[in-house]
């Protein structure tokens, strides 16, 4: 897509930016003049971006990541994109260690990073926070119950925090994708992916760059009356 966004001079932290949707967001930001630091548990090699090895389940990693940026670094944008889907299974058979990790990465990780970064935005009296949720969090999808619960928590966090800090000129929004063509979705297996495609009115998976464009728009001044909102990105699949 050839769309451009006025992000020149801004600085963003993108969690989970080493690959997939997070990488697409980081690359689009960079292409539109935004400085980017990627926080990921895996090493990120995105030309033009700074990066730090940050496991968002570890508060010490998050504090170190902020310290490496320095106290003087302005943070205009935070994109919470790091996520873990786990495996598709019935809840009664879901290993507790796996579903606890889903909650810890997706929901608790988003909360940890946001709570660490938010003071800088409040001090600046400006900022944009975009949380990546999921269609699963809006509707609850069988076979990925824990992921649905974690995503629903991200949606509720977005709504509550968006209301709480709206007067501080810090806007918090959520993008809730349906199935996007990523390794995380493909790893569920061809039968699951085929069902997802058949359930979509557009009869396809979404693309990573399509998610990135919506996130970028939410971080511009064009989106200045949106906070505490959840933006559907499901190709018409969402029913609520």
């Amino acid at each position: 897509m050839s769309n451009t966004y006025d992000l020149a001079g801004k600085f963003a932290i993108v969690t989970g930016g080493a690959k997939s949707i997070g990488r697409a967001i980081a690359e689009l930001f960079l292409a539109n003049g935004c400085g980017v630091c990627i926080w990921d548990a895996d090493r990120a090699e995105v030309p033009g971006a700074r990066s730090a090895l940050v496991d968002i389940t570890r508060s010490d990693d998050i504090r170190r990541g902020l310290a490496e940026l320095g106290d003087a670094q302005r943070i205009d944008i935070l994109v919470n994109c790091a996520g873990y889907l786990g495996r598709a299974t019935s809840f009664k058979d879901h290993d507790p260690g796996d579903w606890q990790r889903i909650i810890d990465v997706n929901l608790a990780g988003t909360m940890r990073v946001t709570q660490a970064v938010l003071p800088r935005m409040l001090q600046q009296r400006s900022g944009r926070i975009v949380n990546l949720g999921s269609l699963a969090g809006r509707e609850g999808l069988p076979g990925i119950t824990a992921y649905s619960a974690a995503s629903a928590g991200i949606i509720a966090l977005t709504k509550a925090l968006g209301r709480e800090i709206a007067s501080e000129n810090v806007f918090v929004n959520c993008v809730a994708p349906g199935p996007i063509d990523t390794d995380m979705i493909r790893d569920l297996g061809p039968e699951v992916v085929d069902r997802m495609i058949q359930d979509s009115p557009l009869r396809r998976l979404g693309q990573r760059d399509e998610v990135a464009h919506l996130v970028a728009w939410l971080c511009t001044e064009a989106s200045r009356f949106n906070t505490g909102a959840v933006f559907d990105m499901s190709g018409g699949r969402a029913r609520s």
Side-chain angles (χ1 to χ4, degrees):
M1 295 182 185
S2 60
N3 305 62
T4 59
Y5 305 91
D6 185 8
L7 298 173
K10 303 290 187 181
F11 185 83
I13 293 174
V14 180
T15 72
K19 59 184 179 181
S20 197
I21 294 173
R23 184 183 180 111
I25 292 167
E27 290 175 337
L28 184 60
F29 280 9
L30 289 164
N32 284 271
C34 184
V36 173
C37 184
I38 292 170
W39 285 1
D40 202 299
D42 296 321
R43 188 166 302 280
E45 297 180 357
V46 178
R50 300 167 65 175
S51 65
L53 289 173
V54 175
D55 180 343
I56 64 169
T57 68
R58 298 174 59 88
S59 296
D60 287 347
D61 278 17
I62 295 168
R63 284 192 289 268
R64 177 176 47 78
L66 278 175
E68 289 177 1
L69 289 176
D71 293 338
Q73 176 62 65
R74 182 181 178 89
I75 302 172
D76 302 288
I77 298 166
L78 169 63
V79 180
N80 286 303
C81 192
Y84 173 64
L85 178 60
R87 66 188 185 95
T89 184
S90 66
F91 185 67
K92 68 179 179 63
D93 296 325
H94 200 170
D95 177 72
D98 189 60
W99 67 250
Q100 287 170 354
R101 176 165 174 75
I102 290 170
I103 301 298
D104 201 23
V105 173
N106 294 282
L107 177 56
T110 293
M111 295 178 73
R112 286 189 197 94
V113 173
T114 301
Q115 192 173 48
V117 172
L118 183 58
R120 293 202 190 189
M121 293 183 171
L122 295 176
Q123 186 176 32
Q124 297 161 186
R125 289 192 59 80
S126 69
R128 295 286 198 279
I129 300 172
V130 181
N131 299 322
L132 270 292
S134 171
L135 172 68
R138 295 186 63 182
E139 301 194 346
L141 299 181
I144 51 172
T145 301
Y147 183 75
S148 297
S151 298
I154 290 171
I155 288 171
L157 167 66
T158 299
K159 291 180 177 182
L161 186 60
R163 291 179 176 180
E164 182 176 320
I165 61 176
S167 63
E168 302 294 330
N169 199 37
V170 179
F171 301 153
V172 188
N173 292 292
C174 177
V175 174
I180 306 298
D181 197 352
T182 63
D183 291 342
M184 189 167 72
I185 292 297
R186 292 289 180 180
D187 286 346
L188 292 173
E191 291 184 3
V192 174
V193 172
D194 285 346
R195 286 201 302 272
M196 289 176 171
I197 292 172
Q198 291 305 310
D199 285 344
S200 168
L202 292 181
R203 294 294 188 268
R204 68 174 177 88
L205 299 177
Q207 299 300 308
R208 286 169 276 190
D209 68 306
E210 292 172 324
V211 180
H213 279 280
L214 178 53
V215 172
W217 177 79
L218 284 169
C219 295
T220 69
E221 288 304 308
S223 174
R224 57 185 180 272
F225 199 60
N226 300 306
T227 194
V230 182
F231 290 81
D232 170 44
M233 194 84 194
S234 70
R237 185 178 170 182
R239 298 177 178 87
S240 62

